[in-house]
């Protein structure tokens, strides 16, 4: 289980993921964040029935906490997306043993949203929060689309990223785990905070245009 968690970048063996993703260009980072997750996740789904459910819930909650907490003080967009990946995978592992279909739904939506986020950032050529401010002047339509994608990744209703979290919280409550559901919902607020910060930089700030005085 820990070996698969290491491959997926789950807490507490997540330390390699933000550093590696930071050193990659956005296209390679997109592959690492999406395609590379499929093989270990397939193995984890098959092994889940034989694993202690308390271990899966603990790893899931720890990952959502680390993913939310770690992204708060970041200015590099690739590191923020890495911590976002840790948090999203924590949600999937949290519900893996109780409702595998929800895990697959979450994984599918995560791949679509993360691909959209990486591609819009690549189109804007944005690597830090500061460079996001130039996006609105380059292409307002693309900036608005990027903001919607980021808010969806944060799980803000009524966007599509909210649906899997809602269903997971509902299923955890049905399984008699209201405390785990409450903790997961609280950690989701951490992720939402740094996504809102990105949206603020993207849509509500204007890059300063310094004009040189002509003699």
């Amino acid at each position: 289980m820990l070996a698969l968690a290491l491959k997926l970048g789950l807490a507490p063996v997540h330390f390699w993921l933000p550093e590696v993703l930071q050193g990659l260009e956005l296209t390679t980072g997109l592959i690492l964040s999406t395609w590379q997750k499929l093989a270990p996740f397939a193995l984890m789904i098959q092994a889940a029935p034989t694993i202690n459910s308390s271990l899966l819930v603990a790893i899931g909650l720890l990952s959502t906490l680390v993913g939310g907490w770690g992204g708060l003080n970041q200015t590099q967009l690739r590191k923020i997306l890495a911590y976002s990946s840790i948090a999203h995978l924590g949600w999937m592992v949290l519900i893996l043993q109780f409702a595998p279909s929800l895990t697959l739904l979450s994984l599918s939506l995560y791949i679509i949203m993360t691909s959209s986020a990486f591609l819009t950032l690549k189109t804007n050529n944005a690597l830090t929060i500061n460079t996001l401010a130039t996006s609105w002047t380059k292409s307002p339509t693309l900036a608005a689309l990027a903001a919607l994608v980021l808010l969806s990744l944060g799980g803000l209703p009524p966007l599509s990223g909210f649906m899997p979290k809602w269903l997971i919280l509902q299923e955890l409550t049905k399984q008699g785990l209201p405390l785990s559901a409450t903790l997961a919902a609280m950690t989701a607020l951490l992720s939402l905070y740094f996504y809102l910060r990105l949206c603020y930089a993207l849509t509500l700030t204007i890059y300063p245009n310094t004009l040189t005085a002509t003699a």
Side-chain angles (χ1 to χ4, degrees):
M1 177 63 200
L2 284 174
L4 289 172
L6 177 66
K7 283 286 288 179
L8 288 166
L10 289 165
V13 283
H14 65 283
F15 299 101
W16 65 274
L17 183 60
E19 301 302 326
V20 169
L21 201 58
Q22 174 61 27
L24 300 174
E25 63 165 351
L26 287 170
T27 309
T28 317
L30 167 62
I31 295 169
L32 179 69
S33 299
T34 54
W35 180 257
Q36 190 262 344
K37 309 287 186 193
L38 296 179
F41 229 104
L43 292 172
M44 191 175 277
I45 287 173
Q46 292 176 41
T50 62
I51 299 170
N52 186 357
S53 59
S54 300
L55 177 65
L56 285 174
V57 170
I59 288 177
L61 285 175
L62 187 61
S63 296
T64 58
L65 178 63
V66 167
W69 195 261
L72 291 180
N73 66 337
Q74 299 298 331
T75 58
Q76 297 288 331
L77 295 177
R78 284 167 292 184
K79 278 194 176 182
I80 288 175
L81 286 168
Y83 281 110
S84 160
S85 171
I86 295 166
H88 277 91
L89 288 167
W91 280 86
M92 295 174 213
V93 170
L94 195 58
I95 202 65
L96 182 59
Q97 210 166 44
F98 307 114
S101 56
L102 275 183
T103 299
L104 292 173
L105 172 67
S106 301
L107 182 62
S108 304
L109 283 171
Y110 161 77
I111 288 174
I112 292 168
M113 292 185 296
T114 302
S115 301
S116 305
F118 269 99
L119 292 172
T120 49
L121 292 177
K122 183 174 174 61
T123 307
N124 286 329
N125 198 22
L127 296 177
T128 64
I129 290 180
N130 290 338
T131 53
L132 281 179
T134 62
S135 301
W136 192 263
T137 51
K138 288 179 188 172
S139 172
T141 309
L142 195 62
L145 177 65
L148 282 173
V149 169
L150 290 170
L151 288 175
S152 187
L153 270 170
L156 192 73
L159 300 171
S160 55
F162 172 66
M163 179 178 64
K165 290 185 176 178
W166 180 28
L167 293 173
I168 287 170
L169 291 176
Q170 194 176 33
E171 184 62 31
L172 284 173
T173 310
K174 284 180 186 175
Q175 295 291 337
L177 294 168
L179 182 61
S180 299
T182 305
L183 289 172
M186 296 293 282
T187 57
L189 295 176
L190 296 170
S191 300
L192 186 58
Y193 172 78
F194 63 72
Y195 281 119
L196 285 171
R197 190 176 60 164
L198 291 182
C199 289
Y200 173 78
L202 191 64
T203 58
L204 297 176
T205 55
I206 298 174
Y207 197 76
N209 290 320
T210 53
L211 300 175
T212 54
T214 54

